[in-house]
Amino acid sequence: MDALPRPVLVLDLDGTVCLGDTPVLLYAERVAALTAVPEALLETAEAFLGQRLPESAPKTLTGAQDGYEAVKILGLAAGVSEEQLSAAYVLSRAEMSERPGDIRTPEGLVDLLAGIDAHRVILTNSPGSGLDAILEHLGLRDVIDEVRTDALKPTRMKGHLDAFLDAAGATDAPEWLMSVGDIWRNDLGPAVERGCVAAYVDAFDRRQGPAHVRAGSLVDLYPAVSDWSSDPSSFIAAHPLKESVQC
């Protein structure tokens, strides 16, 4: 009899396992420096992060999925090019390894990851530069089995999911992979399409699409992650896709 595959837990980085405003603010600083009125961009970015946008803020910000997208919207509106935005992002990520500021993991995450039997992956669009130092600062290095950077989500997300399932021997059992993230189109939409389990960290209550479990913070999804890792098939049967029901 063939051994059962080992479940694969795919975790997004920013906004999911790495919390704090520092990463976005470092990016905002780099982008703001390219504009005529840097203080205005920084103030609006901070207001977005604090969920206290003034009436004068661009209406396009209300649909931003996270702080990075908000900064991008502000930068483009101020005349910053896509190429400049990309370069600013890469520089800000390298800088974060030296200026981690308030970055942190959700409370209890290390214990959760240490206590489950799963192949634990961080899959991020971030570049690899400085990431080891960031994971060390977060205390995650000993509870993560694999890190993939420059993931180009969502474009290449299905390919990553297929590769993880193939390596786990679970090509025909996609429920043995759970994708956890805060951006539906990047982390969850491709997982739903592939038949994997989608755990939606919907911090801004965007309700962008269906998921098997959803909550405003990763902490509230810990019981679901633990239950899934123990019996993926039973878990997905007990948690059908739901459009916007909070866990």
Side-chain angles (χ1 to χ4, degrees):
M1 182 177 177
D2 292 336
L4 290 172
R6 190 181 184 209
V8 181
L9 179 65
V10 178
L11 298 160
D12 174 52
L13 181 63
D14 291 283
T16 302
V17 302
C18 179
L19 305 180
D21 292 341
T22 295
V24 171
L25 292 176
L26 289 175
Y27 177 45
E29 286 177 9
R30 290 286 183 176
V31 174
L34 302 171
T35 69
V37 189
E39 297 84 3
L41 189 148
L42 286 171
E43 288 176 3
T44 306
E46 290 172 357
F48 178 90
L49 293 172
Q51 299 187 46
R52 48 179 176 78
L53 281 173
E55 289 290 330
S56 59
K59 299 305 179 187
T60 50
L61 283 184
T62 59
Q65 297 299 296
D66 59 9
Y68 293 103
E69 188 171 0
V71 172
K72 180 177 181 178
I73 290 169
L74 292 169
L76 290 172
V80 182
S81 69
E82 291 275 4
E83 293 75 13
Q84 289 174 312
L85 287 169
S86 295
Y89 175 69
V90 171
L91 288 170
S92 73
R93 300 303 295 192
E95 190 174 4
M96 191 170 78
S97 65
E98 299 176 0
R99 293 173 56 193
D102 70 343
I103 66 169
R104 62 197 184 279
T105 58
E107 185 176 358
L109 179 63
V110 172
D111 290 339
L112 172 77
L113 296 178
I116 63 173
D117 182 17
H119 182 69
R120 303 152 300 183
V121 181
I122 285 180
L123 181 67
T124 175
N125 284 343
S126 300
S129 176
L131 190 55
D132 281 345
I134 292 167
L135 294 179
E136 183 71 35
H137 179 84
L138 293 172
L140 291 174
R141 289 187 64 178
D142 292 337
V143 292
I144 294 295
D145 301 298
E146 183 178 353
V147 177
R148 291 196 186 184
T149 60
D150 300 293
L152 293 177
K153 298 184 286 186
T155 306
R156 296 189 180 177
M157 185 60 167
K158 185 178 183 298
H160 291 302
L161 299 178
D162 287 340
F164 291 136
L165 288 168
D166 184 61
T171 300
D172 297 325
E175 69 274 11
W176 284 72
L177 185 149
M178 173 184 272
S179 181
V180 185
D182 65 319
I183 306 295
W184 191 87
R185 65 171 179 258
N186 285 0
D187 307 305
L188 307 168
V192 168
E193 184 179 350
R194 183 62 178 83
C196 302
V197 178
Y200 189 1
V201 182
D202 192 8
F204 291 98
D205 197 29
R206 296 298 190 220
R207 305 187 183 218
Q208 292 293 312
H212 296 90
V213 287
R214 170 184 169 271
S217 73
L218 180 54
V219 173
D220 292 332
L221 292 175
Y222 288 174
V225 174
S226 182
D227 290 349
W228 162 83
S229 68
S230 299
D231 190 344
S233 298
S234 294
F235 181 87
I236 199 169
H239 296 82
L241 279 173
K242 298 181 288 291
E243 281 296 333
S244 61
V245 177
Q246 187 92 3
C247 292

